[in-house]
Amino acid sequence: MKLAFAHVMCTIDVMNNSDFPRTERSGTGELSHGRPPQTEFTTGLDYPRLGSVTFRRGTLTDNQEALFDEHWPRLGRLLDDAPVNIDEWFGRTGHPTIVEIGSGTGTSTAAMAPLEAETNIVAVELYKPGLAKLLGAVVRNDIDNVRMIRGDGVEVLARMFEPESLDGVRIFFPDPWPKARHHKRRIIQSGTLNLIATRLKPSGVLHVATDHADYAEWIDELVDVEPMLEFKGWPWPEAPLLTDRQVITKFEGKGLDKDHVIREYLWAKN
């Protein structure tokens, strides 16, 4: 794998897109079909590129849809170009904030959130059924410190969070895109690591977990590529945020059933 990243920039220049797609039912978390908006980064690094996305309708039960419609306006947002006002959204100030990219059905999110009640958790997921399950768990269990954004994780970080605004970023079991021609879609890339580093506060933590051996080898080659991130390995007892995922997620369980080895990675922002 080619690693030609000697001149890594410390900032991200994002090209604003005045044609950012809007939807009529934004209050219920609907996204436009087709190719999602993609930021034109100017760092010269590698970023995951998305193809067209088609969203299946009718995948929520009536109860899930009603719950979603009732609570999404308070708990959720769609990807857009408006930066998140964290204190306003969570209704409190001075609390650390973690973004979880690719929260899936929210199993880990809902399990960890009560153990870090003083931390703001923003779960980012593209598919509405997963967000609906997490929203249901949040409402049923009266979890106050979780909010949700529907959209691609890289775009959410680039467009909706200010530099040095986050205390942590989590990426648990990202899609491994196992075919070689699809490796460019993997979220762990030199550019993504740079983007995450710009969004983390000093001493902020990036936590990645995968059960895919080839993806782990891919990450192994990138652990030191971003100069703003110091690789801490695993475990890191002095980590300033919770690193115990508490529960086995659906994808993790499938991997364990196949005797996959779980690999975890921790970095700290210099």
Side-chain angles (χ1 to χ4, degrees), residues 37-59:
Q38 297 188 69
T39 295
E40 297 178 24
F41 295 99
T42 60
T43 62
L45 301 178
D46 293 331
Y47 297 84
R49 297 288 86 181
L50 294 179
S52 295
V53 177
T54 300
F55 300 106
R56 298 187 304 272
R57 298 188 183 277
T59 54

Side-chain angles (χ1 to χ4, degrees), residues 210-221:
T210 184
D211 69 338
H212 192 275
D214 181 63
Y215 206 166
E217 292 180 5
W218 171 280
I219 298 171
D220 286 341
E221 295 192 43

Side-chain angles (χ1 to χ4, degrees), residues 58-102:
T59 54
L60 272 61
T61 67
D62 290 343
N63 287 338
Q64 283 179 319
E65 197 73 65
L67 197 68
F68 202 93
D69 288 347
E70 179 181 356
H71 295 280
W72 180 259
R74 177 177 66 89
L75 298 175
R77 289 183 57 170
L78 288 178
L79 168 66
D80 61 29
D81 284 324
V84 174
N85 185 322
I86 294 171
D87 291 347
E88 182 178 280
W89 200 13
F90 283 87
R92 58 186 187 178
T93 60
H95 291 259
T97 299
I98 294 173
V99 168
E100 182 178 341
I101 296 175

Side-chain angles (χ1 to χ4, degrees), residues 34-244:
R35 184 178 294 276
Q38 297 188 69
T39 295
E40 297 178 24
F41 295 99
T42 60
T43 62
L45 301 178
D46 293 331
Y47 297 84
R49 297 288 86 181
L50 294 179
S52 295
V53 177
T54 300
F55 300 106
R56 298 187 304 272
R57 298 188 183 277
T59 54
L60 272 61
T61 67
D62 290 343
N63 287 338
Q64 283 179 319
E65 197 73 65
L67 197 68
F68 202 93
D69 288 347
E70 179 181 356
H71 295 280
W72 180 259
R74 177 177 66 89
L75 298 175
R77 289 183 57 170
L78 288 178
L79 168 66
D80 61 29
D81 284 324
V84 174
N85 185 322
I86 294 171
D87 291 347
E88 182 178 280
W89 200 13
F90 283 87
R92 58 186 187 178
T93 60
H95 291 259
T97 299
I98 294 173
V99 168
E100 182 178 341
I101 296 175
S103 56
T105 58
T107 306
S108 290
T109 314
M112 295 173 73
L115 301 178
E116 46 189 354
E118 296 304 308
T119 299
N120 302 326
I121 309 296
V122 181
V124 179
E125 175 57 49
L126 197 56
Y127 294 101
K128 187 175 179 180
L131 289 170
K133 289 183 179 180
L134 174 56
L135 184 144
V138 166
V139 171
R140 287 192 304 271
N141 296 295
D142 197 25
I143 299 173
D144 294 328
N145 61 322
V146 172
R147 301 292 184 269
M148 289 154 274
I149 297 176
R150 189 177 182 196
D152 171 65
V154 171
E155 294 303 320
V156 168
L157 283 178
R159 297 171 181 269
M160 300 184 71
F161 288 95
E162 301 286 353
E164 297 196 344
S165 62
L166 301 175
D167 296 87
V169 173
R170 291 169 174 159
I171 307 176
F172 295 157
F173 303 96
D175 193 325
W177 293 107
K179 295 181 180 179
R181 69 177 183 271
H182 292 154
H183 285 181
K184 63 185 178 181
R185 298 185 180 186
R186 289 176 169 176
I187 191 169
I188 306 299
Q189 308 265 1
S190 61
T192 313
L193 292 171
N194 180 247
L195 172 62
I196 291 170
T198 66
R199 270 42 184 172
L200 288 174
K201 299 176 183 177
S203 300
V205 174
L206 168 61
H207 182 184
V208 175
T210 184
D211 69 338
H212 192 275
D214 181 63
Y215 206 166
E217 292 180 5
W218 171 280
I219 298 171
D220 286 341
E221 295 192 43
L222 293 170
V223 293
D224 295 318
V225 74
E226 173 49 54
M228 287 188 288
L229 294 176
E230 179 184 357
F231 182 55
K232 294 292 187 177
W234 178 269
W236 177 25
E238 296 80 20
L241 53 79
L242 182 66
T243 59
D244 183 352

